[in-house]
Amino acid sequence: MKLPSAAVAASLVCLIIAPVFAQTAPTTAPAASTGTVPVPATKHVTCLATTQSLKGQDKRDQMQLCMAQARVDCLKQAIDQKVVGEPRKSFIKTCLGGDGTEQQ
């Protein structure tokens, strides 16, 4: 059973890292000119997507691991940007894509 766990872990890492690179890429044209405004996938949505094929305790465990890693990533981002105090809490909630207290 280590192979599926390793595959899930590898896919989680890819899904967590990809949005970070997407956020740092410069845009050449404003989104308003296309008529639609793209909504970035939040880390919470990404975690939900990666665990949708799982069931029961496996799904809950992987969701908790994914959200914990997402919180760490958001905290690192806040630290890098020197966000402190109440704005840091708000920043992390926004970064996660919700209030961060939802559990499945």
Side-chain angles (χ1 to χ4, degrees):
M1 290 301 278
K2 288 191 181 226
L3 183 59
S5 296
V8 170
S11 65
L12 288 175
V13 169
C14 290
L15 288 171
I16 290 170
I17 293 173
V20 172
F21 289 118
Q23 291 175 355
T24 60
T27 57
T28 56
S33 66
T34 62
T36 60
V37 178
V39 177
T42 63
K43 294 179 189 298
H44 182 75
V45 172
T46 303
C47 289
L48 285 173
T50 60
T51 60
Q52 84 181 46
S53 64
L54 301 173
K55 295 185 188 233
Q57 190 63 43
D58 287 339
K59 182 173 184 163
R60 287 187 291 277
D61 291 343
Q62 289 303 318
M63 186 67 180
Q64 283 184 327
L65 285 171
C66 183
M67 288 304 295
Q69 183 61 51
R71 282 186 196 92
V72 169
D73 292 343
C74 289
L75 179 59
K76 285 180 181 179
Q77 235 180 339
I79 291 169
D80 288 345
Q81 295 178 15
K82 301 195 184 317
V83 180
V84 294
E86 193 61 36
R88 179 181 282 187
K89 288 181 185 179
S90 177
F91 177 89
I92 291 173
K93 285 180 184 180
T94 303
C95 178
L96 288 172
D99 62 7
T101 60
E102 297 175 17
Q103 294 282 330
Q104 282 204 353

